[in-house]
Each structure stands twice: as structure tokens, then as C-alpha cells.
Amino acid sequence: MTDNYVILKTFTNVFEADLAKGLLEENGIRVELKNEIFNSIYSTFAGDMFKIELWVAQDEAEDARRIVDAYTEGFVVNSLLTEAGALLEGHFVLTSGRHSGRYIEKIRILQNPASAAILCRHLAEQLSAYDFDAVVGPAYGGIALAFEVARLMGKQFIFTQRKDEQMTIRSGFDLQNIRSVAVIEDIVTTGGSIKEVVVCLNEKGIEVAAIGAIVDRSGGNVDFGCTFIPLLTLDVPSWDADSCELCRNGVPITKPGSSDKK
Ligand SMILES: [Zn+2]
């Protein structure tokens, strides 16, 4: 590495470091990563010992700073989800029967725990401004995410499930010291399940301090009556089969495996 490079930023995670490097290179910035190999070899304790350093040419550091600052959380989340194969582009028949050019295979968010954990860290950072005793996830998608967010924040964890069509807190949890919670969901579409979760918590005298989600695919149209923090807001347009432009243009269609209803 040449002498006239400066450290722009450090990372504890190789995915985010690579994303930033790629972004800067696309913008013509000369960039080097240091400690990348140590970090991946010793990943279990790499965090503090081998922070990945992002070095840039000194005379380009100001531009690089501006680009990295503009590299929003949305960009990171979008890249992680796309890499995981959770955000698919093409031509799909949705469960509703409508056609769309985008499809979210949400179970893939959990398939790679390392990248799911990064998403949970972003949620935990956002939720740190709120005061609550426990993190709640609705079965199944919300369970692993809520557990990881609770672990990161040193909070308790509980989950809800549908029992005889009715949303309930899983029996057996000790709710005595739980007065308020944060609710975590993977994908919010209409917000229906979350609203049921809020009702079943309120019935037990538990307040909801905030709701977090990986993706709000309602395009920002849901209202839970409390703070809602989605990491990524997507507007997913869909059409009736007979007015679908993709059909008209002869784009081959995929029908994703019918999703397991929770
Ligand atoms: Zn179509």
C-alpha cells in the first residue's frame, strides 16, 4: 500500500466492508482493505482485534467520505437481501393471484444467519432510542430476528403464535416483569398480523414501545398507531393478470412455491 492512503472507516464485518469498497471503486476512488483475511480466518473473535480497515487515497478522501456517508442503511439492507436471494426480480404470480415484477422470498432472510445478524444489528441500533423490557416476534419469521435483537440489546425475548386462528403469546413465558416491548417482524405487507400481536399484548397489559421490520412492502402505507421502523421501504407494484404489462411483453412467468401460512 502506498504511503499517501488514509483510513476512512473500519468494519467488524466483511460483507459491509466489501460493499463499501465496491461502492467507492464504482465511483473511481482508489481503495484498499486491510485485515480482511485475519477477520475472515478469526471471525469468532475478529470483531475488535482485527477490524477491517478501509483505506483510500488521501487526495480522494473527501469525495470518498461523502460517498460513504450517502451510502445509506437502505443500500446495505437492499444489498444483503438481494445477495441472500430474498429480493427477486422477474415476473411472478403473487399469492393474491396478481402479477408483479418483484417477489420477496422472505424465508431466505434467515437462511444465512451471519447476514441476518447484520440486519438485526441495524434494528437494534434503531430501537436503542426506545425503552422496553422485551422483544417480541410473531412465529415463524419474527422469532429468530426478535431473539437476535433481544440478545444484542440485553432484553428478554418472547414470541406469539396463532392458536385456533387467534394470535396469542406462547404459553409458559413469565410475563411478570414485562411491561413494554418492541415487536419485530420480517416483512410487513398489510400489517394485519402485527396489529393482532399488538392487541394480544395489550390484553395482557403490555405496551408496545416500537415496531421494527426488515422490509415494509406496503410502500409506507401501514399505520400501527405507534413508532414503526422498517429498515427498507419498498413499493411493490402489482397488476391484475389481464392488465399485466410483463405478460403483454411475453416475459416468462414464475409462480413461487406457495408460502406456508403462519
Ligand atoms: Zn403477468
Side-chain angles (χ1 to χ4, degrees):
M1 187 176 301
T2 43
D3 292 339
N4 55 344
Y5 272 56
V6 292
I7 293 188
L8 189 76
K9 197 173 161 65
T10 61
F11 300 86
T12 53
N13 178 285
V14 75
F15 295 107
E16 289 180 16
D18 278 341
L19 284 170
K21 180 171 184 263
L23 179 75
L24 290 172
E25 281 172 343
E26 275 168 29
N27 284 277
I29 306 283
R30 287 165 295 156
V31 50
E32 298 274 349
L33 290 180
K34 265 177 83 175
N35 284 345
E36 198 182 5
I37 292 166
F38 289 123
N39 187 282
S40 50
I41 295 173
Y42 304 111
S43 57
T44 47
F45 58 92
D48 289 329
M49 279 181 71
F50 299 112
K51 281 211 171 99
I52 302 170
E53 297 168 357
L54 178 71
W55 291 70
V56 296
Q58 192 165 19
D59 54 344
E60 290 166 351
E62 207 173 301
D63 282 343
R65 168 69 55 204
R66 191 175 37 76
I67 293 163
V68 166
D69 284 349
Y71 133 103
T72 59
E73 188 169 77
F75 173 83
V76 176
V77 172
N78 199 36
S79 307
L80 286 171
L81 293 176
T82 305
E83 263 178 43
L87 291 188
L88 302 170
E89 307 263 348
H91 183 192
F92 304 96
V93 184
L94 305 178
T95 345
S96 60
R98 290 167 69 82
H99 290 194
S100 179
R102 299 180 96 169
Y103 181 74
I104 304 179
E105 191 65 87
K106 64 180 188 174
I107 202 66
R108 293 197 185 159
I109 294 174
L110 301 178
Q111 190 165 352
N112 183 343
S115 65
I118 299 171
L119 297 170
C120 290
R121 208 181 64 226
H122 285 284
L123 282 170
E125 278 164 14
Q126 300 259 11
L127 290 168
S128 62
Y130 301 86
D131 190 28
F132 49 88
D133 308 307
V135 184
V136 185
Y140 298 97
I143 292 183
L145 300 171
F147 183 90
E148 176 64 5
V149 171
R151 190 189 69 82
L152 287 165
M153 301 187 77
K155 307 286 186 190
Q156 297 180 67
F157 158 76
I158 60 175
F159 71 86
T160 63
Q161 61 184 13
R162 233 178 256 288
K163 201 178 170 191
D164 307 325
E165 300 289 299
Q166 193 74 29
M167 191 67 84
T168 52
I169 300 173
R170 170 72 164 83
S171 64
F173 281 118
D174 177 3
L175 306 177
Q176 216 174 319
N177 294 316
I178 300 178
R179 299 272 55 93
S180 66
V181 295
V183 179
I184 298 290
E185 178 63 298
D186 47 12
I187 311 293
V188 168
T189 304
T190 61
S193 321
I194 292 287
K195 285 175 186 163
E196 290 175 61
V197 171
V198 172
V199 169
C200 89
L201 290 162
N202 288 346
E203 279 170 0
K204 299 272 183 194
I206 299 170
E207 293 295 319
V208 175
I211 295 166
I214 306 293
V215 181
D216 170 12
R217 49 154 291 182
S218 78
N221 290 317
V222 284
D223 181 8
F224 296 115
C226 71
T227 307
F228 175 43
I229 306 169
L231 294 184
L232 188 68
T233 300
L234 291 180
D235 194 4
V236 184
S238 65
W239 313 276
D240 284 330
D242 44 8
S243 61
C244 174
E245 204 167 301
L246 297 167
C247 282
R248 231 183 352 257
N249 293 330
V251 180
I253 195 158
T254 320
K255 187 171 185 168
S258 59
S259 68
D260 293 313
K261 286 281 173 203
K262 3 180 191 189

